[in-house]
């Protein structure tokens, strides 16, 4: 057993150690109440304070304009794939909803939305196994489009949008599950940004949904109450019992991020972290990156070795060296290092030197 384990899992992913320690410290007795934070009512003033602090911190860290609501919605990112078209159905009834197919989750988002909207694939990179963000014609964002959906960072393939599409008056919607708070983003360019929480925010099973206020109030009548963003905004995400533990943990993660210097500082660190791994990949013919270099993610680094046998050996030896959960997604095989905000530089350095050493011994 290695003395230190670094968790490269794609999600649920590692959390910052100080956050885990704080949870442990407060676990049995939340601030002198004599009960745990997960044992108190979601309507208790102590919990509402946690929820509102999380929202205020998120707003501060992202420079979120005042006319955006921050919601906590059940069901992770995938539930929003259906909730989105349901909530926006009334915007331009029957009008086309454009989806960019840039990876597995992007494809699923379109698949789930199809039941509730007039879906059109704007562009796809399926042909090159999603190794890039596809080229597209900006003239497709016409008045008769209800909204445009993108996946900001493609978790499995390790690609991302470097430049978001300019959609003008048409609301741009982004699934930012695997990159929220990892880089500076101008939220005013988006109608909705949503993220499952288990990658950069906290525990699984919930999503944060950031929505521009003028997009509220247009849900289809069939929208389940708990997926209705307008209802959630009216009830400050407390229509029913929320996942209090997830909200609490997220608040601690946001406090941690603020202590790290905020999003600009963490973005710089994320660039440096991913660059160290891409440097190893680029310096050898042994490792082959999955993503086209111009579309590389700073959150997920996916690569292959010369053979599946060597990949299996790599994973086995990496595991023994304390490098956990590096197995790539079944769609691409190989290796994937998910290096979200909490991954420390030491973890990257350990992996990079393991890669160099492995190539030397098995090249
Ligand atoms: C992980 C992930 C999802 C799925 O999240 P769930 O909370 O499991 O539904 C969706 N989109 C992206 C981009 C992801 O990385």
């Amino acid at each position: 057993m290695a003395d230190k384990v670094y968790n490269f899992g794609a999600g649920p992913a590692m959390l910052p150690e100080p956050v885990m320690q704080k949870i442990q410290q407060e676990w049995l007795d939340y601030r002198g109440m004599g009960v745990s934070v997960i044992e108190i009512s979601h309507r208790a003033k102590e919990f509402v304070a946690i929820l509102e602090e999380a929202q205020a911190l998120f707003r501060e860290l992202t420079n979120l304009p005042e006319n955006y609501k921050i919601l906590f919605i059940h069901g992770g990112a995938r539930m929003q794939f259906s909730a989105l078209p349901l909530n926006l159905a009334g915007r331009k009834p029957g009008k086309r909803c454009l989806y960019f197919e840039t990876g597995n989750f992007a494809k699923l988002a379109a698949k789930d939305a199809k039941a509730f909207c007039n879906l059109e694939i704007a562009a796809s990179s399926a042909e090159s196994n999603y190794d890039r963000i596809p080229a597209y014609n900006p003239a497709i964002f016409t008045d008769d489009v209800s909204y445009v959906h993108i996946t900001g960072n493609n978790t499995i393939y390790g690609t991302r949008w470097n430049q978001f599409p300019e959609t003008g008056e048409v609301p741009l919607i982004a699934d930012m599950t695997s990159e929220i708070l990892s880089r500076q983003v101008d939220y005013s360019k988006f109608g909705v940004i949503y993220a499952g929480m288990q990658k950069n925010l906290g525990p699984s099973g919930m999503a944060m949904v950031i929505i521009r206020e003028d997009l509220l109030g247009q849900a289809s009548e069939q929208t389940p109450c708990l997926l209705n963003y307008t209802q959630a905004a009216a009830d400050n995400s407390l229509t029913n019992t929320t996942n209090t533990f997830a909200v609490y943990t997220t608040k601690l993660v946001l406090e941690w991020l603020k202590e790290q210097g905020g999003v600009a500082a963490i973005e710089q660190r994320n660039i440096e972290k991913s660059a160290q791994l891409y440097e190893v990949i680029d310096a050898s013919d042994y490792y082959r990156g999955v993503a086209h270099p111009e579309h590389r993610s700073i959150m997920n680094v996916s690569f292959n070795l010369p053979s599946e046998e060597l990949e299996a050996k790599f994973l086995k030896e990496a595991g023994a060296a304390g490098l956990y959960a590096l197995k790539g997604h079944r769609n691409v095989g190989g290796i994937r290092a998910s290096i979200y905000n909490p991954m420390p530089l030491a973890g990257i350095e350990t992996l990079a030197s393991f890669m160099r050493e492995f190539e030397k011994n098995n090249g």
Side-chain angles (χ1 to χ4, degrees):
M1 190 64 196
D3 22 307
K4 173 81 192 148
V5 171
Y6 292 105
N7 180 3
F8 292 91
M14 71 166 293
L15 290 174
E17 206 166 297
V19 168
M20 300 299 277
Q21 282 162 350
K22 179 95 177 172
I23 292 169
Q24 190 179 41
Q25 256 169 38
E26 293 187 328
W27 189 242
L28 294 178
D29 178 10
Y30 182 68
R31 302 199 177 173
M33 293 178 79
V35 293
S36 175
V37 68
I38 65 158
E39 299 175 305
I40 64 175
S41 168
H42 56 299
R43 304 197 190 281
K45 65 177 190 308
E46 290 86 355
F47 178 75
V48 174
I50 291 169
L51 174 75
E52 289 178 350
E53 233 172 286
Q55 290 165 323
L57 278 163
F58 188 91
R59 201 175 280 285
E60 179 187 339
L61 285 163
T62 57
N63 289 317
L64 188 68
E66 280 304 314
N67 61 327
Y68 284 75
K69 293 280 191 217
I70 302 171
L71 312 174
F72 291 91
I73 308 287
H74 298 283
R78 178 120 195 214
M79 190 69 95
Q80 311 320 311
F81 294 174
S82 303
L84 269 165
L86 281 164
N87 274 278
L88 300 179
R91 211 186 92 75
K92 293 205 166 178
K95 295 301 180 196
R96 295 174 303 136
C97 299
L98 301 185
Y99 277 70
F100 279 91
E101 195 189 76
T102 55
N104 191 56
F105 288 116
K107 194 171 156 184
L108 289 174
K111 178 172 176 272
D112 290 2
K114 201 167 169 28
F116 309 111
C117 71
N118 180 6
L119 184 118
E120 198 173 301
I121 300 298
S124 170
S125 50
E127 236 171 50
S128 56
N129 200 24
Y130 305 119
D131 68 340
R132 68 195 63 201
I133 303 299
Y136 63 96
N137 177 0
I140 59 179
F141 308 129
T142 46
D143 277 358
D144 67 333
V145 172
S146 183
Y147 65 84
V148 175
H149 182 278
I150 63 167
T151 308
N153 182 80
N154 297 281
T155 323
I156 293 171
Y157 308 88
T159 64
R160 72 165 192 181
W161 288 82
N162 284 315
Q163 207 115 48
F164 297 116
E166 295 284 342
T167 57
E169 294 295 303
V170 182
L172 179 61
I173 318 284
D175 174 0
M176 295 220 176
T177 300
S178 52
E179 68 153 330
I180 193 155
L181 298 168
S182 71
R183 58 167 154 165
Q184 289 180 286
V185 167
D186 180 357
Y187 276 65
S188 73
K189 300 258 189 213
F190 293 84
V192 182
I193 283 180
Y194 65 98
M197 285 161 64
Q198 68 276 25
K199 286 158 192 170
N200 262 334
L201 291 168
S204 57
M206 295 212 89
M208 272 180 96
V209 176
I210 321 301
I211 182 164
R212 212 175 62 210
E213 280 168 355
D214 64 282
L215 296 174
L216 294 168
Q218 303 176 48
S220 117
E221 271 180 34
Q222 281 75 37
T223 310
C225 171
L226 289 180
L227 295 185
N228 188 315
Y229 298 155
T230 311
Q231 184 79 46
D235 296 336
N236 197 18
S237 300
L238 295 173
T239 305
N240 78 331
T241 315
T242 189
N243 181 339
T244 54
F245 180 67
V247 175
Y248 161 71
T249 305
T250 296
K251 189 208 82 163
L252 297 180
V253 170
L254 294 170
E255 280 173 352
W256 171 84
L257 182 54
K258 187 174 170 181
E259 279 163 22
Q260 303 304 302
V263 177
I266 209 86
E267 176 176 17
Q268 205 44 50
R269 258 175 42 196
N270 289 334
I271 291 169
E272 287 159 20
K273 276 157 54 185
S274 57
Q276 284 210 19
L277 298 182
Y278 288 126
E279 218 175 276
V280 179
I281 292 170
D282 290 342
S284 91
D285 296 325
Y286 191 72
Y287 297 111
R288 279 170 297 119
V290 170
H292 188 283
E294 277 169 36
H295 303 267
R296 280 171 167 171
S297 165
I298 59 171
M299 294 280 97
N300 309 95
V301 178
S302 296
F303 56 94
N304 289 93
L305 274 72
S307 71
E308 281 183 27
E309 291 68 38
L310 284 167
E311 286 168 349
K313 188 169 190 241
F314 181 100
L315 288 170
K316 189 158 172 248
E317 290 181 17
L323 302 167
Y324 173 70
L326 280 166
K327 193 170 166 41
H329 188 274
R330 56 191 181 276
N331 288 15
V332 283
I335 318 295
R336 170 178 51 182
S338 295
I339 50 173
Y340 303 123
N341 287 346
M343 174 58 69
L345 191 59
I348 303 289
E349 285 164 352
T350 308
L351 173 57
S353 56
F354 175 86
M355 287 170 72
R356 288 197 183 91
E357 200 61 25
F358 189 88
E359 180 180 355
K360 215 180 325 158
N361 297 334
N362 299 276

